[in-house]
Amino acid sequence: MLGYCFELITGPMSCGKTEELLRRVKRCMIAKKKVKVISPQIDTREQSDCIKSRNGLWLDAIKVKHSIQILSLVKDDDDVVAIDELQFFDSNIVKVIAKLMEQGKKVIGTGLDLDFKGEVFGSMPELMCIATNVDKLHAVCMKCGSDHATRTQRLIDGKPADKNSPLIMIGGDETYEARCIKCWELPDAKEEEKRGSENKILQFALK
């Protein structure tokens, strides 16, 4: 049976999540299944209403602001619902996908499992729990070349972003790159400033 399932594709930036989503969607289309492709409105990397992989593959998509809108967009004759960048949706996305599964739809989704701080991203933990299948992809570390990159490194002016920078910052290869755990960096300017102040106080006290 085609429906009643949720395939979740996850991993860091540049691991091929969207490419894999597009591959699966195109297989469904070859099988003459009706597919609805959805993307969060917050993802502004593409100016047109589409999702696009880093290797240039693309597909028309409907952009939505709130996850609850998805239920009104999906019609009875839609067999497959593909949703890109699940981490950007509000918490209702979990209930929405559960409802689509109840309706007999096959749901295929992608999402970053961890944010640039190395912390769980949005509703991804809950989505992993309700998924019938989870594929965690690895990328190539852009610093050492390891093929086990599982972290997303945010860069600002070519340097690792401070942990206190905003959680959401839309960007491409110039802003994010995949890194292995060993090469991933998360500087904390506030902590470094605090340690610096403490050292100054200590040095003054020792004089």
Side-chain angles (χ1 to χ4, degrees), residues 77-196:
D77 59 347
D78 287 324
D79 302 300
V80 181
V81 182
I83 311 174
D84 201 28
E85 305 289 359
L86 285 165
Q87 78 280 355
F88 287 143
F89 284 99
D90 56 82
S91 60
N92 283 325
I93 190 63
V94 180
K95 294 179 181 178
V96 168
I97 290 180
K99 184 65 176 179
L100 291 173
M101 293 169 68
E102 288 176 11
Q103 294 174 354
K105 310 299 183 185
K106 175 175 182 175
V107 183
I108 311 172
T110 73
L112 290 167
D113 53 348
L114 300 173
D115 61 24
F116 81 100
K117 299 179 184 180
E119 299 173 352
V120 294
F121 207 153
S123 299
M124 288 300 290
E126 292 90 343
L127 292 172
M128 288 183 185
C129 289
I130 69 169
T132 50
N133 186 67
V134 178
D135 288 303
K136 183 165 182 174
L137 306 182
H138 293 173
V140 174
C141 177
M142 298 303 292
K143 192 168 183 180
C144 73
S146 164
D147 59 356
H148 294 291
T150 58
R151 299 295 176 94
T152 298
Q153 181 72 64
R154 178 184 287 174
L155 301 172
I156 297 179
D157 296 328
K159 296 179 180 180
D162 185 81
K163 69 176 298 182
N164 302 296
S165 59
L167 176 61
I168 305 297
M169 186 180 291
I170 305 299
D173 294 338
E174 75 287 349
T175 309
Y176 294 99
E177 64 181 26
R179 295 219 183 157
C180 64
I181 294 176
K182 183 179 72 172
C183 296
W184 174 72
E185 303 172 67
L186 188 64
D188 186 345
K190 289 183 179 179
E191 186 62 30
E192 290 175 6
E193 183 180 348
K194 180 182 176 182
R195 284 199 299 266

